C-alpha cells in the first residue's frame, strides 16, 4: 500500500513538472457557415495561424496554443450565446467571432460581463455608450476609411459621383463623404442595391441612362464579384467609367476578364505585399488552399482575403500578449454565476499594448477603445498587366502618390489604345470627309476619303489603334438648343456612342464644357463667301481717276497760286521791265510781259507741257518758272504712269467689303450652317455688329440658315446671298469655283480639334500625336494634298489706286519752297536796283521808291513810265551817295529831261 502511494506521488510530481515547463493556452472561435461553404475562410485562417504559432518556438517557447471551434448559422444570436458559454466553461483567454452584428452583440455582452477579451476582425459600428471595455477590433476604424474614400475622390477630382451601397451599414461608413458636398462642391447621388437580390442590372441600367460615370460601390467582395459580371454584360466596362470599390478584397477578385477592357477600377488593399514575410506566408496559405477545399467563385485560386488575414494577425496578437503575461492562469467560467476572470483586465491591457508587424501591416491598437486607428492602405488600380499600386494612404498623413503610378498610368493609356477598336464619328464635308468614287462596291472605312481620313490614318499609325468610321446620324456638328440639349457629333460623344470625333469640329467654349478636345490640328477663322464682283468698264471721265480729287484740287490751287506769285514777282523785280522801243532809248515808257493773264497762261502752258512765248528774265521769276516746271514734270509723269494702269485694269466693284457692310444693309441676305459653330459664334457674341447680324439671321431662319455648306454654296451662286463660314472651307471652294471668292478678312480666330468624351483617356495621347504630325510637317502636306485644285486664272487683285497726297505730296512742298525763295530773290533784286539808282542820283527818296513799287503792282497795266528824280530834303532820302558821274550820264539825263 505504501509503495502504491509512493508511485502515485512520483507520477503526480512528474505531471506538475511537465505543466510547469509547458503551459497550454486555449482560445475560442465562433464561426458562421454558409450553405455554399463547409468551412469559412475565417476558420481556416484561425487554424492556420495557430499551427504556425506552435511551429514557431521563438514566439511562445514554453506555451502551446490550442483552440476550440464552434460553428453556428448566420444571424443566430441565441446559438452564439450558448456556444460562447460552453467555450468559457472550458477556459479560454479570448473569444474570436462571430462576424455578423446580431450575433456579435450577444457574444460581446457575455464577454464584458465575464471580463474575457472579445476579438473581432470585421467592421462593427461602435457602441454609443462605449461600455464594450473588453472589445478589440483589428478592422480599420470606419471614420478613417471614410476619410480615405474622400481623399480618393478629391485626388481624382471628381465633381459628380454616385454611391451605391449594399446595406444600411454602408451609409454609416460613408458619413464623411456624404457630408463633403458642402465643403468640396460635390454632387452625390445615393442608391441602394435591392436587399436579398444579387441582380443589380435594373439599377445599373438607370445609372447608364443617367450617364453616371463615377460610381462608388460599398458592398462585400461576393457582391462585388457579381457586380463586375453584370457591369460587363451591360457594356459599362469601358474607359469612360470609373468604379471604386470600398471592399478591401478587390485584389482577391478574379479580374482577368476585365484587364483589357480599359475600365478604370480602383480600390483599397490592407495587406502589405511588399514584406517578404507576408509574401512567404501568402504562398504557404495558397499551397494549403489549393490542396484543400474548393475556393469561392469570384476569388482567385489560393488567395487570402482581408478578413482571413486580419484573423491570422489577431491570433498572433494573442500570442504576443500572452508572451508578456507571466503567472497567468485560465479558469473555467460559468455564464450563470457572473464571476469574471481574475486575469481578464490585465490580459486586456497587455493585448492593447502589444504591437505586431502582421499581414495587414503594423498593428497598433488604441488603448482607450481597442480600435485600430493607425494603419496604411494601398490604393490599387486595375492595369493591363494586373493590379498595381498607384498611391499609399495613411490614417494620419493622408495620400501619397508615387512616381511609378504616374508612369504606369501613361503606359496603360497607350496599351489600351493599342488594343482597342475606336468608334469614330464624322460628317460629310469636302475636303475633310468625302465618299470615295469607285466602280466597285466599297465597305467599311474604304468608303470614305479626305483630309480627316488621312489624319485618322496617321494617328492610328502612331498610337496603334484600329478604328471604325461612322457618319453622324442627324448630319450636324453639334449645337445646344434652348433646353440645353445637344445634337450632332457632340451628342454622340456625350452619350459615348463614339470614342472620337474626327471632323472639321470647331473648338468652342460651350462645347468644351461637355466634351474634351485635343490640340487643334488646323487653325482658321470665320469669313464671308460671296460671288466675285463683276468688272466695270472705264467711264467717260475715267481719265480723272489716276489722281484723287484732293490732288486735282491742289493742282488747280497750285497753278493759280504760282501764276499770282509770278505776276507779283515779275512786277516787283526791275529786271522784268524793258523798253518796248529799243530803237528809242530816250523813251520814258517801260513794259512788263507778265500781266495777270499772261502769268496764268505761262502756268497753264507749263502744266500742259506745251510751253509759251513768255520767257522770264529776272532770276526770281526764273526760279518760279523752274520750280513750276519741275512740279509739272512730276505731276504729269505720275498721272501718265497711273493712267495706263487705270485704262488696262478692269476694276472690280464689290457691293460688300467686310462684315460691317453686311450688317449695314438688308438687300443681300446672309447666313451660316444651322447648329454649327459659326451660328453659335454670332448667337453668343456680344459685339454690336455681330449681334445685329444674328438678329437678322434669326429673324429669317428659314432662308438665312442652311442645312450644310453645299446648300449654302448653291445659294451663293444662284441668288444674292453671302455665306458665313470657315476660311479653310472658303479657300477650298474658291480653288474649285472661280466664280466665288472670300470677302474681307477673318472675323475671329479658332481651330479644329479631335473631340473625345469628357474624361476620356485618349485625349492626351491624340494631342501628342497631333503635335508630332505638326512638327514633322505632315499636317501641312495633307492640307496641300486636299486643298490644291485646278486653279483659277491668275488675276491681279491689286487694282490701280488713285494717287493721293501721301504719294506725291512732296512736290507741293518743293513748289512752295521755290515760291518763297523767288519772293526773297525778287526783294533782293528790287533793293539792288534801288542802290544802282543811288549811284546815279544823289538821293533816292522813300516816296519815289513807293511810287515805283505802286506802278509795278498795277495789275491792269503792262506799261509804265520811267521814274523821275525827285528833289527834297536829305532827311527824306533812303539811299544817299556822293554824286558820281556814271557812264552814259548824259544820255540818262537827256532821257529824264
Amino acid at each position: 500500500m505504501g509503495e502504491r502511494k509512493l508511485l502515485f506521488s512520483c507520477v503526480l510530481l512528474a505531471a506538475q513538472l511537465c505543466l510547469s515547463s509547458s503551459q497550454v493556452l486555449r482560445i475560442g472561435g465562433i464561426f458562421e457557415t454558409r450553405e455554399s461553404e463547409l468551412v469559412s475562410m475565417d476558420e481556416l485562417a484561425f487554424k492556420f495561424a495557430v499551427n504556425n504559432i506552435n511551429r514557431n518556438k521563438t514566439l511562445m517557447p514554453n506555451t502551446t496554443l490550442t483552440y476550440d471551434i464552434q460553428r453556428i448559422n448566420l444571424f443566430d444570436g441565441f446559438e452564439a450565446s450558448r456556444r460562447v458559454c460552453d467555450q468559457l466553461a472550458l477556459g479560454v483567454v479570448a473569444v474570436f467571432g462571430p462576424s455578423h452584428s446580431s450575433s456579435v452583440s450577444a457574444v460581446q455582452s457575455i464577454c464584458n460581463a465575464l471580463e474575457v477579451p472579445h476579438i473581432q476582425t470585421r467592421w462593427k459600428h461602435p457602441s454609443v455608450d462605449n461600455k464594450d471595455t473588453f472589445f478589440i477590433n483589428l478592422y480599420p476604424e470606419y471614420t478613417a476609411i471614410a476619410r480615405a474614400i474622400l481623399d480618393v475622390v478629391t485626388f481624382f477630382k471628381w465633381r459628380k459621383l454616385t454611391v451605391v451601397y449594399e446595406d444600411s451599414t454602408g451609409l454609416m461608413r460613408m458619413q464623411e463623404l456624404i457630408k463633403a458636398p458642402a465643403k468640396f462642391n460635390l454632387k452625390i447621388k445615393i442608391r441602394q442595391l435591392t436587399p436579398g437580390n444579387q441582380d443589380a442590372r435594373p439599377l445599373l441600367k438607370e445609372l447608364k441612362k443617367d450617364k453616371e460615370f463615377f460610381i462608388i460601390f460599398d458592398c462585400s467582395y461576393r457582391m462585388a464579384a457579381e457586380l463586375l459580371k453584370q457591369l460587363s454584360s451591360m457594356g459599362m466596362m469601358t474607359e469612360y467609367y470609373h468604379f471604386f470599390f470600398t471592399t478591401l478584397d478587390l485584389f482577391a477578385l478574379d479580374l482577368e476578364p476585365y484587364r483589357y477592357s480599359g475600365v478604370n477600377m480602383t480600390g483599397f488593399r490592407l495587406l502589405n505585399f511588399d514584406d517578404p514575410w507576408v509574401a512567404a506566408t501568402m504562398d504557404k496559405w495558397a499551397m494549403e488552399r489549393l490542396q484543400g477545399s474548393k475556393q469561392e467563385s469570384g476569388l482567385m485560386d489560393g488567395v487570402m482575403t482581408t478578413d482571413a488575414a486580419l484573423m491570422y494577425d489577431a491570433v498572433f496578437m494573442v500570442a504576443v500578449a500572452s508572451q508578456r503575461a507571466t503567472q497567468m492562469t485560465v479558469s473555467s467560467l460559468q455564464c450563470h454565476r457572473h464571476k469574471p476572470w481574475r486575469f481578464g483586465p490585465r490580459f486586456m491591457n497587455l493585448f492593447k499594448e502589444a504591437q505586431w508587424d502582421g499581414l495587414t501591416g503594423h498593428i497598433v491598437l488604441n488603448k482607450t477603445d481597442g480600435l485600430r486607428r493607425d494603419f496604411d492602405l494601398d490604393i490599387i488600380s486595375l492595369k493591363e498587366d494586373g493590379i498595381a499600386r498607384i498611391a499609399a494612404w495613411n490614417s494620419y498623413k493622408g495620400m501619397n502618390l508615387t512616381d511609378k503610378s504616374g508612369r504606369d498610368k501613361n503606359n496603360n493609356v497607350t496599351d489600351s489604345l493599342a488594343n482597342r477598336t475606336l468608334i469614330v464619328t464624322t460628317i460629310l464635308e469636302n475636303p475633310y470627309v468625302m465618299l470615295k468614287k469607285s466602280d466597285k462596291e466599297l465597305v467599311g472605312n474604304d468608303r470614305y476619303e479626305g483630309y480627316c481620313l488621312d489624319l485618322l490614318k496617321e494617328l492610328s499609325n502612331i498610337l496603334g489603334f484600329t478604328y471604325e468610321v461612322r457618319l453622324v446620324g442627324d448630319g450636324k456638328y453639334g449645337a445646344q438648343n434652348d433646353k440645353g440639349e445637344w445634337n450632332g457629333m457632340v451628342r454622340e460623344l456625350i452619350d459615348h456612342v463614339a470614342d472620337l470625333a474626327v471632323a472639321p469640329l470647331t473648338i468652342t467654349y460651350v462645347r468644351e464644357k461637355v466634351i474634351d478636345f485635343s490640340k487643334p490640328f488646323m487653325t482658321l477663322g470665320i469669313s464671308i463667301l460671296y460671288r466675285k464682283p463683276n468688272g466695270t468698264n472705264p467711264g467717260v471721265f475715267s481719265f480723272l481717276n489716276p489722281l484723287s480729287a484732293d490732288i486735282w484740287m491742289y493742282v488747280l490751287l497750285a497753278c493759280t497760286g504760282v501764276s499770282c506769285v509770278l505776276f507779283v514777282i515779275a512786277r516787283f523785280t526791275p529786271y522784268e521791265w524793258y523798253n518796248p522801243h529799243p530803237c528809242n532809248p530816250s523813251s520814258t515808257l517801260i513794259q512788263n510781259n507778265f500781266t495777270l493773264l499772261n502769268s496764268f497762261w505761262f502756268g497753264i502752258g507749263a502744266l500742259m507741257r506745251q510751253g509759251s512765248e513768255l520767257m522770264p528774265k529776272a532770276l526770281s521769276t526764273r526760279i518760279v518758272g523752274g520750280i513750276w516746271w519741275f512740279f509739272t514734270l512730276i505731276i504729269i509723269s505720275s498721272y501718265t504712269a497711273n493712267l495706263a494702269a487705270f485704262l488696262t485694269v478692269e476694276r472690280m466693284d464689290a457691293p460688300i467689303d467686310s462684315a460691317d457692310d453686311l450688317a449695314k444693309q438688308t438687300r443681300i441676305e446672309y447666313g451660316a450652317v444651322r447648329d454649327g459653330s459659326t451660328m453659335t459664334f454670332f448667337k453668343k457674341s456680344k459685339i454690336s455688329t455681330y449681334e445685329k447680324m444674328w438678329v437678322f439671321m434669326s429673324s429669317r431662319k428659314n432662308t438665312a440658315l442652311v442645312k450644310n455648306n453645299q446648300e449654302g454654296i448653291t445659294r451663293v451662286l444662284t441668288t444674292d446671298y453671302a455665306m458665313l463660314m470657315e476660311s479653310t472651307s472658303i479657300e477650298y471652294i474658291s480653288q474649285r469655283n472661280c466664280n466665288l471668292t472670300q470677302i474681307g478678312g477673318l472675323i475671329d480666330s479658332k481651330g479644329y480639334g479631335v473631340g473625345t468624351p469628357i474624361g476620356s483617356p485618349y485625349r492626351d495621347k491624340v494631342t501628342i500625336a497631333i503635335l508630332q504630325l505638326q512638327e514633322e510637317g505632315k499636317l501641312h502636306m495633307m492640307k496641300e494634298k486636299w486643298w490644291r485644285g485646278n486653279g483659277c486664272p491668275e488675276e491681279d487683285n491689286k487694282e490701280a489706286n488713285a494717287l493721293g497726297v501721301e504719294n506725291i505730296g512732296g512736290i507741293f512742298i518743293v513748289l512752295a519752297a521755290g515760291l518763297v525763295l523767288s519772293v526773297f530773290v525778287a526783294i533782293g533784286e528790287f533793293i539792288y536796283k534801288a542802290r544802282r539808282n543811288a549811284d546815279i542820283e544823289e538821293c533816292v527818296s522813300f516816296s519815289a521808291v513807293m511810287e515805283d513799287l505802286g506802278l509795278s503792282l498795277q495789275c491792269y497795266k503792262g506799261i509804265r513810265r520811267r521814274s523821275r528824280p525827285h528833289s527834297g530834303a536829305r532827311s527824306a532820302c533812303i539811299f544817299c551817295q556822293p554824286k558820281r558821274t556814271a557812264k552814259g550820264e548824259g544820255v540818262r539825263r537827256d532821257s529824264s529831261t
Side-chain angles (χ1 to χ4, degrees):
M1 187 67 178
E3 291 179 356
R4 288 184 179 180
K5 288 183 178 181
L6 180 62
L7 181 61
F8 180 75
S9 299
C10 291
V11 172
L12 184 61
L13 180 62
Q16 289 177 353
L17 289 174
C18 291
L19 288 173
S20 63
S21 61
S22 178
Q23 185 181 5
V24 176
L25 288 181
R26 182 183 289 109
I27 55 177
I30 301 175
F31 302 104
E32 295 159 318
T33 58
R34 298 174 180 270
E35 296 179 359
S36 59
E37 58 183 7
L38 298 175
V39 181
S40 67
M41 188 81 70
D42 291 353
E43 181 180 345
L44 294 175
F46 182 79
K47 295 178 180 178
F48 182 64
V50 171
N51 292 335
N52 285 346
I53 290 171
N54 290 331
R55 293 193 190 102
N56 184 5
K57 298 300 182 181
T58 59
L59 185 61
M60 300 176 65
N62 298 321
T63 305
T64 301
L65 192 64
T66 61
Y67 55 80
D68 179 77
I69 292 177
Q70 300 290 333
R71 298 187 182 97
I72 62 173
N73 296 322
L74 288 173
F75 311 111
D76 194 345
F78 176 78
E79 184 68 14
S81 301
R82 196 167 65 84
R83 295 299 177 90
V84 73
C85 289
D86 295 342
Q87 289 183 341
L88 292 174
L90 292 176
V92 293
V93 296
V95 176
F96 292 79
S99 58
H100 286 84
S101 57
S102 58
S103 303
V104 169
S105 299
V107 174
Q108 181 62 44
S109 61
I110 296 174
C111 289
N112 285 337
L114 299 180
E115 298 183 355
V116 175
H118 180 210
I119 302 172
Q120 189 64 240
T121 59
R122 300 284 182 94
W123 182 87
K124 175 183 179 295
H125 192 276
S127 59
V128 179
D129 53 6
N130 199 21
K131 292 183 179 180
D132 294 336
T133 55
F134 286 85
F135 176 75
I136 292 174
N137 195 343
L138 266 66
Y139 196 90
E141 202 266 332
Y142 80 102
T143 58
I145 292 287
R147 291 199 311 273
I149 296 172
L150 181 59
D151 288 347
V152 169
V153 170
T154 55
F155 168 72
F156 286 118
K157 298 179 181 179
W158 291 353
R159 290 292 173 263
K160 179 183 177 183
L161 59 97
T162 301
V163 176
V164 179
Y165 65 96
E166 186 175 10
D167 52 40
S168 58
T169 59
L171 289 179
M172 300 178 190
R173 288 190 291 267
M174 292 289 174
Q175 283 302 308
E176 290 293 325
L177 182 63
I178 294 173
K179 293 184 293 185
K183 186 184 299 184
F184 293 95
N185 193 24
L186 286 173
K187 293 182 180 179
I188 300 179
K189 290 184 179 180
I190 301 176
R191 308 293 298 271
Q192 184 180 10
L193 295 169
T194 305
N197 186 5
Q198 288 192 338
D199 186 6
R201 283 173 292 188
L203 175 59
L204 298 180
K205 185 177 180 180
E206 292 182 19
L207 296 178
K208 184 178 181 180
K209 181 180 179 181
D210 295 339
K211 300 180 181 61
E212 299 294 337
F213 300 114
F214 305 105
I215 306 173
I216 296 178
F217 291 104
D218 183 88
C219 57
S220 64
Y221 70 86
R222 295 181 180 87
M223 188 65 202
E226 289 297 323
L227 282 173
L228 290 175
K229 296 176 183 178
Q230 295 172 22
L231 287 169
S232 180
S233 65
M234 294 290 295
M236 298 174 70
M237 282 291 185
T238 66
E239 63 277 8
Y240 306 114
Y241 287 91
H242 197 150
F243 304 128
F244 183 86
F245 290 88
T246 61
T247 176
L248 300 180
D249 290 320
L250 181 64
F251 74 95
L253 299 180
D254 184 12
L255 303 179
E256 182 66 24
Y258 321 113
R259 279 173 51 187
Y260 300 102
S261 64
V263 67
N264 301 286
M265 193 183 304
T266 311
F268 292 139
R269 183 177 64 191
L270 186 62
L271 272 68
N272 183 18
F273 280 90
D274 294 335
D275 192 332
W277 176 79
V278 174
T281 305
M282 299 292 286
D283 292 341
K284 187 176 181 181
W285 166 271
M287 291 178 62
E288 292 188 8
R289 295 284 67 75
L290 292 175
Q291 296 174 0
S293 59
K294 186 179 179 181
Q295 196 84 356
E296 285 187 63
S297 61
L299 292 177
M300 292 188 295
D301 294 336
V303 71
M304 177 184 282
T305 63
T306 301
D307 291 337
L310 288 170
M311 181 63 70
Y312 184 90
D313 287 345
V315 175
F316 267 80
M317 286 289 286
V318 170
V320 172
S322 63
Q323 189 180 21
R324 300 175 57 195
T326 57
Q327 299 179 354
M328 182 182 70
T329 58
V330 182
S331 58
S332 176
L333 302 176
Q334 303 297 325
C335 292
H336 58 278
R337 292 183 180 180
H338 300 288
K339 182 180 179 180
W341 181 29
R342 183 162 58 95
F343 293 97
R346 178 187 171 192
F347 186 70
M348 186 68 182
N349 291 333
L350 291 175
F351 198 104
K352 290 180 179 180
E353 293 174 357
Q355 297 185 18
W356 174 250
D357 290 325
L359 300 179
T360 58
H362 187 66
I363 301 175
V364 179
L365 299 176
N366 186 279
K367 295 180 176 57
T368 303
D369 52 18
L371 300 179
R372 187 177 181 181
R373 298 183 182 273
D374 186 7
F375 58 92
D376 295 318
L377 289 175
D378 289 339
I379 300 175
I380 58 175
S381 181
L382 178 63
K383 309 294 181 181
E384 290 197 353
D385 52 356
I387 290 290
R389 184 177 69 172
I390 62 173
W393 187 89
N394 181 265
S395 55
Y396 292 108
K397 297 178 182 179
M399 186 81 69
N400 180 25
L401 180 66
T402 61
D403 293 335
K404 181 180 178 182
S405 67
R407 293 194 298 269
D408 289 344
K409 184 177 180 181
N410 292 335
N411 291 337
N412 184 50
V413 174
T414 305
D415 294 342
S416 61
L417 272 172
N419 291 278
R420 289 280 291 172
T421 298
L422 304 183
I423 304 300
V424 180
T425 181
T426 188
I427 189 171
L428 289 176
E429 186 67 58
N430 297 343
Y432 302 97
V433 180
M434 302 176 289
L435 291 174
K436 187 183 295 185
K437 297 179 180 179
S438 176
D439 298 334
K440 300 178 181 179
E441 183 180 358
L442 301 176
V443 294
N445 299 337
D446 295 335
R447 294 173 293 171
Y448 311 106
E449 64 177 355
Y451 178 89
C452 288
L453 271 297
D454 286 357
L455 174 62
L456 195 54
K457 184 178 180 181
E458 293 291 340
L459 294 177
S460 174
N461 292 336
I462 294 174
L463 301 176
F465 64 87
T466 57
Y467 57 90
E468 179 184 345
V469 178
R470 297 179 184 176
L471 295 179
V472 60
D474 57 6
K476 295 182 180 180
Y477 289 90
Q480 197 174 19
N481 60 19
D482 296 335
K483 297 180 180 179
E485 298 173 347
W486 286 86
N487 56 20
M489 290 183 287
V490 176
R491 182 55 184 258
E492 292 194 353
L493 292 177
I494 294 174
D495 293 342
H496 292 82
V497 176
D499 300 306
L500 300 177
V502 183
L505 187 64
T506 307
I507 302 172
T508 62
Y509 168 72
V510 290
R511 286 175 178 170
E512 188 73 49
K513 291 194 296 185
V514 294
I515 62 173
D516 285 339
F517 280 100
S518 68
K519 295 294 182 183
F521 59 81
M522 186 178 293
T523 56
L524 59 142
I526 297 174
S527 192
I528 303 170
L529 179 69
Y530 194 61
R531 296 192 313 272
K532 280 187 178 179
N534 297 324
T536 58
N537 296 322
V540 178
F541 295 98
S542 61
F543 64 88
L544 296 176
N545 293 336
L547 300 181
S548 64
D550 294 341
I551 292 298
W552 283 118
M553 182 182 65
Y554 295 151
V555 169
L556 182 61
L557 292 176
C559 183
T560 304
V562 168
S563 300
C564 293
V565 170
L566 181 61
F567 166 73
V568 172
I569 290 177
R571 291 280 173 165
F572 189 76
T573 179
Y575 296 104
E576 287 294 340
W577 296 96
Y578 67 95
N579 185 359
H581 306 292
C583 296
N584 184 14
S586 61
S587 175
T588 60
L589 297 177
I590 54 176
Q591 187 175 357
N592 194 321
N593 289 331
F594 285 97
T595 63
L596 189 59
L597 291 177
N598 286 346
S599 298
F600 273 102
W601 178 250
F602 177 84
I604 293 173
L607 184 62
M608 298 302 173
R609 304 295 296 273
Q610 298 301 317
S612 67
E613 69 279 4
L614 299 174
M615 297 300 293
K617 300 180 180 65
L619 177 61
S620 58
T621 53
R622 288 181 177 179
I623 290 175
V624 174
I627 289 297
W628 178 244
W629 290 339
F630 178 70
F631 174 83
T632 57
L633 172 67
I634 300 301
I635 288 293
I636 296 302
S637 299
S638 302
Y639 172 82
T640 304
N642 213 29
L643 178 63
F646 266 87
L647 295 179
T648 55
V649 175
E650 184 181 14
R651 301 193 67 191
M652 298 298 179
D653 187 13
I656 54 173
D657 291 324
S658 63
D660 291 330
D661 294 342
L662 272 181
K664 292 175 183 177
Q665 58 82 49
T666 57
R667 182 179 62 84
I668 301 175
E669 196 172 28
Y670 53 89
V673 175
R674 185 179 288 107
D675 295 334
S677 62
T678 302
M679 187 201 79
T680 305
F681 168 79
F682 286 97
K683 185 178 181 180
K684 302 291 184 181
S685 179
K686 300 300 180 183
I687 301 173
S688 58
T689 301
Y690 305 147
E691 284 182 329
K692 185 177 180 181
M693 295 175 70
W694 171 245
V695 170
F696 177 85
M697 288 187 281
S698 59
S699 64
R700 307 185 182 188
K701 282 186 177 181
N702 295 332
T703 57
L705 301 179
V706 295
K707 184 178 180 181
N708 50 47
N709 284 342
Q710 189 58 45
E711 181 182 340
I713 294 168
T714 304
R715 288 199 59 190
V716 171
L717 290 170
T718 56
T719 63
D720 201 8
Y721 180 80
M723 178 78 173
L724 295 160
M725 61 192 305
E726 282 81 3
S727 58
T728 51
S729 298
I730 294 177
E731 181 183 351
Y732 173 81
I733 294 165
S734 59
Q735 283 284 328
R736 287 155 177 79
N737 194 324
C738 299
N739 295 322
L740 300 175
T741 187
Q742 177 177 325
I743 300 295
L746 301 182
I747 295 175
D748 70 339
S749 179
K750 52 192 175 183
Y752 290 151
V754 176
T756 63
I758 196 164
S760 171
Y762 305 140
R763 182 189 65 173
D764 293 339
K765 287 298 177 181
V766 171
T767 292
I768 294 173
I770 288 175
L771 293 176
Q772 179 180 336
L773 293 174
Q774 185 176 4
E775 291 179 359
E776 294 174 355
K778 291 185 178 180
L779 293 180
H780 177 72
M781 289 188 292
M782 285 190 291
K783 184 177 179 182
E784 286 294 316
K785 171 185 175 183
W786 292 103
W787 261 254
R788 190 190 310 113
N790 297 327
C792 297
E794 291 293 333
E795 297 180 1
D796 188 6
N797 293 326
K798 296 182 179 179
E799 298 179 354
N801 296 320
L803 298 178
V805 177
E806 64 275 6
N807 303 115
I808 55 176
I811 192 60
F812 289 93
I813 298 175
V814 174
L815 177 62
L819 295 179
V820 173
L821 177 62
S822 64
V823 170
F824 282 103
V825 172
I827 294 173
E829 289 176 336
F830 182 81
I831 296 174
Y832 175 75
K833 186 65 175 178
R835 289 182 64 88
R836 290 289 301 272
N837 290 339
D839 290 341
I840 302 172
E841 301 175 5
E842 183 179 357
C843 183
V844 179
S845 65
F846 178 76
S847 60
V849 172
M850 295 306 296
E851 181 182 353
D852 286 347
L853 182 60
L855 291 173
S856 299
L857 297 179
Q858 289 180 1
C859 61
Y860 55 89
K861 290 182 180 180
I863 301 175
R864 68 179 175 87
R865 292 185 180 273
R866 294 181 187 269
S867 58
R868 297 179 180 178
H870 297 272
S871 61
R874 296 183 68 88
S875 60
C877 295
I878 299 176
F879 304 106
C880 297
Q881 299 283 349
K883 189 171 183 180
R884 294 179 296 171
T885 301
K887 186 178 179 180
E889 182 180 356
V891 177
R892 290 192 184 92
R893 253 181 217 163
D894 292 340
S895 63
S896 62
T897 303

